[in-house]
C-alpha cells in the first residue's frame, strides 16, 4: 500500500512537472499570438456591424453575432439574458458656432452628450461663461449664470501617469455639469472633451439630469479640445461673446436587449462561478473597437484559449458580454440580480474595459489574503512583461457582483493612447494592434487559469490541497 | 568643531530631504509631460524635413536644424563632428510581378534593400525558388539555384513577446541573403519584409555583399508580407513560376556629414562624460519618426529637462545625434574613435533607438556591480510604470564606446507596434503619441540624473562619499 502510494505520489509529481504553471502560461500566450481569434472577431464587430449603442440595430446585430460565434466554440452552454435598456438617439449631426460679434462666427466641433435633451429646433444662442469646476459655478451664482450657457473647461491633468486618473478628475463636468448649471438658471452646457490630445474631435459620454423635472433639463454637449482652447481664448479677449448650438437628440422608451453568456461547466466545483467579460454596447460616434469591442473579443477568446490549451476548468467559467455599460449599466446590474436570485456563488469576476492596448497587469478589488495570492504569481507573468498588480477598482459591469470574499479584477492595458479615442469618432479598428489585443486575451486567460486551479484565496487553496 | 560638523551633517540631510530622488523624478516627469519639447521637435524633423538617409539633403537639413535648436538651449557647447558617410540612392520606384504563365501576372509590392545594386535597366526575370534559411539554400545547392531568384521567406516568430527577438531571428535573410545566394549562382534575391503584421508595405534595411567582387553582386529587394504569402502559395501550386523585378538604386561616393553634439559641462567631474543619443539618419521610405527621430528628440530633451528641472550635473553630459546608423554606423564609430583619441573617459552612454512608444525600462551592458546599483533604483521608477531592467544590449551607435568599467544602456519602449513601421513608408509622425514620446524622454533623463548623482558603480559612489 505504501509503495502504491509513493508511486502515485511520484506520478502526480511527474504530471505536475509535465504541466507546470510556467508551461501552461507559455501555451496560452503562444496560442493567442499564433492562433488567436480575438482580432478576427473584432474586425467583424467593428467593420461589419459598427457602433452598438444600447437599443440600436448595431447592438442587436452584435448580440446575434457573438452568440452565434460562442456557439461554434463547443462550450457547455450559450444563452441570452434579457434586460430592458434605455434608448437614446443622437439624431442629425450637431452644429455649433462662436459668435464674437453680430455676423462674425467661428464654427466649432461639438457632439451631444449621451442622455442630453435637444436644443430648440432652431438651436440655442446665448452668452457663454467659462468655469473650471462646480466651486467657480457656485461663486458666480444665479446673477451671473441665469440665461447663459455654461462652459466647463477643466482639462485632463497631463502629469498623471495613469490617464484614467486624469479622466476621474474631470468627468464630473460631463456627468453632472448640466444638473449643476441648471441650479443657477443656465440654459445649456458645453463641456471640454475628456481628451489629453489637442485635436478636433468631440468626445461623447453619459450625463445625468438627476431628479430634475423634464421642463428644467438643459441641453449639454461636448466640444473638441482645440475648440475649447479657441473658445477660452476668445472669452479672455472679449467677455460678451455668444455661443450657438443645435442638436436634436432624444431619449426614447426602453427596449428589450440581452447580455450574451457562454459557459464551460466546472469539472470539480461546478457551483463556483468565475466570469470574464466586457461590454457589447458602445457609443455611436466610432465603431467601439477599444471601448469595448476589445474587451468583448478578448473575453470570448479566454474560453476558447482555455480549450485550445487543453485546460479543463475545475470551476464553471463564464464569458459575459454585458449590454448597456455606457448609458445605464443595466446589463451588469441584471446579471448580478439574477446571480443573487439563483444563489450562484461568484468567486471571481474579471472585466476588460480599458482598451485593447498592450496589457500591463490588473487592478484587484479583493481581500488582502486573495491579493497576496495574486502577488505570489507575479513571477509567472514576468516573461510576458506583465508587472502591474495593484489593489483598486475592477470594472463597472462586474462591480455589482462584489462580495466580502470574492475577487473582482480589471485588466489594465497601457493607458497612454486610450483617451485619444475614448467615445470619439476615431475609436475604430485601425487603432487596434493585433498583437496587443492578443497579449491582453492571453493575460486574462492566464489569470483565470490560476484562480481556477488554486481557488480564490489561500484558505480555499489549502482546503483543496488537504482533501 | 564637532558641533559644526553635526550642524553641517544635519543641514546636508535637510537638503537631501528637500530634494529627494523621488521628488526630482517627479519634477522631471512633470516637466516632460507638461512642458516637453520632444514632440514639437519631432514634428519639424518629420513633417518639415522628412526622411534623412545618410548623404541626402534631408540628412543635411536635420544636422543644421538640430544644431540650431541645441544652440537655443543654453548648453555649454554645441558642435558638429565631421564624418564621411556612404551615400546610396534608391532611384525610381521599384516594380515587380509574379508570372504564373506567359502573360498572366500579379503585381507585388517590393523595395530595394539599402546597399543593393540595380537590376539590368529593363529589369530581371527568372524562375524563383523559396527557402526558409541558409541550410535549405545549401541543401538545394548550385544545381537548383543557378540562374534563379532566391526567395527568403522565414517569417518573424509571433510568439516571442519582445519583437526585437523575432527580428533578430530573421534579419540575416535580409542582411546576408544576397551574398549567400550568390554562392550558388542566384541572379537575384527577394526577402520577406521584417514585419509581424500582414500588410502591403515592403520594409527596407541594410544588406551586405561582404567581399563579393562587384561583378558578382546580385540585386536584392524586400517584398511585403501579404505578397510574400501570395508568392509562397503560388509556388506551392506551381513550381515553375517566374518573378520579375526592376530597381535602379545606386551606391555613390562617400560624402561628408556630421554627428551633432551638445554638452553641459560637469560642475565636479567635468572629465567624466555621460552621453545620451539617437541617430539622425533614417531610411528613405517614411519620415523616420520612430526610427529614430524619436530617439533624437528625446535625447535633445534630456539636456533641456535637466536644466528645466534645476539639475546641475556634476559630470559632463552630452547629447550625441549620430549620423549613419542605418547603413554604415560611421557616426557611432567616429564618435568612439575621437573619444579614444582625446582620452575622454566615457562612464555612461544611453541610446534611444527602439521607437517612441511607451517606455518600459532599459537594457544594460555593464558589470554586475553597476547593474545591482541600477536595481536599487527600481522603486524610484515604479510610479511611472517603468519596470524593465535587464542585462543585454544597448544601442548600435553607443556600442563602440564599450569598456570594462562603463555602463552602456538602451531605452526599451513597448515593442509590439515597432516592426509595423520599421523601415517602411508608414514610419511617420501620425504613428507617434505625444505622451509616450515624453514619457520616454523623462525616463531617460531620470536615469541620467541618477548616474550623474551617484556615479557609475558602487565603487565610484563610495569613493565620492569618502572624499
Amino acid at each position: 500500500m505504501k509503495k502504491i502510494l509513493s508511486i502515485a505520489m511520484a506520478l502526480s509529481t511527474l504530471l505536475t512537472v509535465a504541466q507546470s504553471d510556467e508551461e501552461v502560461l507559455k501555451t496560452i500566450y503562444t496560442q493567442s499570438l499564433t492562433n488567436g481569434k480575438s482580432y478576427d472577431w473584432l474586425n467583424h464587430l467593428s467593420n461589419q456591424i459598427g457602433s452598438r449603442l444600447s437599443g440600436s440595430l448595431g447592438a442587436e446585430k452584435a448580440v446575434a453575432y457573438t452568440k452565434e460565434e460562442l456557439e461554434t466554440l463547443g462550450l457547455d452552454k450559450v444563452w441570452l439574458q434579457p434586460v430592458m435598456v434605455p434608448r437614446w438617439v443622437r439624431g442629425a449631426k450637431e452644429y455649433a458656432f462662436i459668435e464674437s460679434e453680430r455676423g462674425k462666427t467661428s464654427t466649432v466641433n461639438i457632439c451631444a452628450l449621451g442622455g442630453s435633451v435637444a436644443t430648440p429646433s432652431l438651436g440655442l444662442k446665448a452668452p457663454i461663461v467659462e468655469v473650471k469646476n462646480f466651486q467657480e459655478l457656485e461663486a458666480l451664482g444665479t446673477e451671473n449664470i441665469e440665461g447663459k450657457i455654461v462652459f466647463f473647461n477643466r482639462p485632463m491633468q497631463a502629469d498623471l501617469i495613469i490617464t484614467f486618473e486624469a479622466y476621474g478628475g474631470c468627468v464630473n463636468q460631463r456627468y453632472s455639469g448640466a444638473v449643476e448649471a441648471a441650479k443657477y438658471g443656465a440654459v445649456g452646457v458645453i463641456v471640454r472633451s475628456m481628451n489629453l490630445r489637442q485635436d478636433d474631435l468631440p468626445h461623447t459620454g453619459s450625463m445625468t439630469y438627476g431628479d430634475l423635472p423634464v421642463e428644467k433639463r438643459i441641453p449639454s454637449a461636448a466640444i473638441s479640445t482645440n475648440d475649447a482652447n479657441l473658445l477660452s481664448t476668445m472669452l479672455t479677449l472679449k467677455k460678451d461673446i455668444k455661443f450657438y448650438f443645435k442638436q436634436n437628440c432624444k431619449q426614447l422608451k426602453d427596449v428589450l436587449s440581452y447580455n450574451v453568456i457562454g459557459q464551460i461547466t466546472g469539472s470539480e466545483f461546478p457551483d463556483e462561478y468565475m466570469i470574464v467579460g466586457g461590454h457589447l454596447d458602445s457609443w455611436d460616434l466610432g465603431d467601439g473597437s477599444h471601448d469595448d469591442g476589445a474587451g468583448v473579443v478578448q473575453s470570448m477568446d479566454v474560453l476558447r484559449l482555455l480549450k485550445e490549451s487543453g485546460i479543463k476548468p475545475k470551476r464553471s467559467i463564464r464569458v459575459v458580454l454585458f449590454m448597456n455599460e455606457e448609458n445605464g449599466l443595466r446589463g451588469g446590474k441584471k446579471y448580478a440580480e439574477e446571480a443573487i436570485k439563483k444563489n450562484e456563488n461568484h468567486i471571481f469576476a474579471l472585466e476588460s474595459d480599458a482598451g485593447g492596448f498592450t496589457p500591463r497587469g490588473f487592478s484587484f478589488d479583493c481581500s488582502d489574503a486573495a491579493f497576496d495570492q495574486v502577488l505570489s504569481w507575479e513571477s509567472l507573468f514576468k516573461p510576458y512583461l506583465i508587472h502591474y498588480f495593484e489593489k483598486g477598482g475592477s470594472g463597472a459591469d462586474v462591480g455589482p457582483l462584489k462580495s466580502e470574499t470574492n475577487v473582482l479584477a480589471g485588466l489594465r492595458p497601457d493607458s497612454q493612447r486610450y483617451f485619444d479615442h475614448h467615445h470619439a469618432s476615431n475609436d475604430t479598428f485601425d487603432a487596434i494592434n493585433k498583437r496587443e489585443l492578443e497579449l491582453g486575451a492571453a493575460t486574462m486567460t492566464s489569470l483565470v487559469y490560476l484562480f481556477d486551479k488554486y481557488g480564490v484565496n489561500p484558505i480555499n487553496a489549502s482546503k483543496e490541497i488537504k482533501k
Side-chain angles (χ1 to χ4, degrees), chain A residues 370-430:
Chain A
F371 187 60
D372 284 345
Q373 187 184 13
V374 167
L375 293 182
S376 76
W377 298 330
E378 252 190 288
S379 64
L380 288 171
F381 284 96
K382 207 182 169 197
Y384 311 102
L385 307 185
I386 302 300
H387 64 101
Y388 183 89
F389 299 89
E390 299 288 339
K391 289 193 81 167
S394 54
D397 295 297
V398 301
L401 288 170
K402 178 74 189 145
S403 79
E404 267 180 37
T405 53
N406 67 9
V407 173
L408 304 187
L411 184 71
R412 292 294 173 261
D414 194 289
S415 75
Q416 300 311 320
R417 292 174 183 234
Y418 187 64
F419 290 98
D420 295 358
H421 302 277
H422 184 245
H423 298 180
S425 60
N426 64 339
D427 181 2
T428 46
F429 189 66
D430 58 296

Side-chain angles (χ1 to χ4, degrees), chain A residues 289-319:
Chain A
S289 282
H290 277 292
D291 187 12
D292 183 26
V296 163
V297 298
Q298 286 173 326
S299 298
M300 289 166 70
D301 223 14
V302 167
L303 273 71
R304 199 191 63 90
L305 288 169
L306 287 171
K307 285 181 92 77
E308 293 288 318
S309 305
I311 298 163
K312 295 197 193 316
K314 299 196 263 186
R315 294 162 170 89
S316 291
I317 317 283
R318 280 185 187 164
V319 51

Side-chain angles (χ1 to χ4, degrees), chain A residues 100-159:
Chain A
S100 52
E101 47 194 271
R102 200 159 176 86
K104 204 171 163 194
T105 60
S106 313
T107 309
V108 290
N109 297 288
I110 67 154
C111 67
L113 292 179
S116 175
V117 296
T119 57
S121 62
L122 295 180
L124 170 69
K125 186 158 80 175
I128 187 161
V129 55
E130 176 177 345
V131 297
K132 288 281 195 296
N133 51 52
F134 298 158
Q135 291 72 46
E136 282 185 32
L137 189 73
E138 198 188 342
L140 285 174
T142 307
E143 60 187 287
N144 294 300
I145 292 173
E146 194 157 39
K148 293 182 183 163
I149 294 168
V150 171
F151 168 37
F152 288 100
N153 192 31
R154 183 164 83 261
M156 285 174 80
Q157 211 182 312
D159 60 345

Side-chain angles (χ1 to χ4, degrees), chain A residues 268-269 314 461-467:
Chain A
E268 283 188 44
F269 312 105
K314 299 196 263 186
S462 60
K463 257 189 210 156
E464 240 177 79
I465 288 161
K466 274 184 200 143
K467 90 188 163 75

Side-chain angles (χ1 to χ4, degrees), chain A residues 8 43 48 80 118 133 142 147 171 174 208 255 264 274 318 347 418 427 445-446:
Chain A
N43 185 8
Q48 301 303 315
L80 299 182
N133 51 52
T142 307
V171 72
R174 188 194 78 203
T208 182
V255 296
I264 299 175
M274 296 178 53
R318 280 185 187 164
I347 62 164
Y418 187 64
D427 181 2
T445 309
S446 298

Side-chain angles (χ1 to χ4, degrees), chain A residues 210-381:
Chain A
D211 49 14
L212 215 57
V214 174
E215 68 279 8
K216 295 215 161 173
R217 297 181 181 182
I218 59 176
S220 181
I223 187 167
S224 77
T225 47
N226 276 345
D227 289 330
N229 294 344
L230 174 71
L231 178 55
S232 183
T233 306
M234 288 176 77
L235 278 168
T236 314
L237 297 172
K238 194 164 186 297
K239 290 272 162 259
D240 63 342
I241 61 177
K242 287 182 177 168
F243 193 90
Y244 168 90
F245 71 121
K246 179 168 162 348
Q247 58 192 29
N248 67 343
C249 45
K250 206 169 178 179
Q251 191 76 48
L252 305 174
K253 278 201 189 123
D254 286 5
V255 296
L256 180 64
S257 188
Y258 303 93
N259 292 328
V260 180
I261 309 176
Q263 177 175 307
I264 299 175
T265 303
S267 60
E268 283 188 44
F269 312 105
D271 297 338
E272 291 189 13
Y273 293 95
M274 296 178 53
I275 75 166
V276 58
H279 63 84
L280 212 40
D281 64 310
S282 78
W283 280 108
D284 56 333
L285 298 174
D287 64 33
S289 282
H290 277 292
D291 187 12
D292 183 26
V296 163
V297 298
Q298 286 173 326
S299 298
M300 289 166 70
D301 223 14
V302 167
L303 273 71
R304 199 191 63 90
L305 288 169
L306 287 171
K307 285 181 92 77
E308 293 288 318
S309 305
I311 298 163
K312 295 197 193 316
K314 299 196 263 186
R315 294 162 170 89
S316 291
I317 317 283
R318 280 185 187 164
V319 51
V320 184
L321 310 178
F322 297 96
M323 184 50 69
N324 186 230
E325 190 269 351
E326 293 293 3
N327 55 340
L329 207 66
R330 300 275 185 88
K333 287 175 186 164
K334 171 61 83 176
Y335 183 84
E337 194 184 297
E338 293 287 321
I340 290 164
K341 209 182 276 175
K342 291 176 188 155
N343 209 11
E344 288 172 348
N345 179 19
H346 280 72
I347 62 164
F348 173 88
L350 167 61
E351 182 154 6
S352 167
D353 183 20
F357 300 97
T358 302
R360 306 292 293 265
F362 302 96
S363 172
F364 293 93
D365 181 1
C366 66
S367 71
D368 289 343
F371 187 60
D372 284 345
Q373 187 184 13
V374 167
L375 293 182
S376 76
W377 298 330
E378 252 190 288
S379 64
L380 288 171
F381 284 96

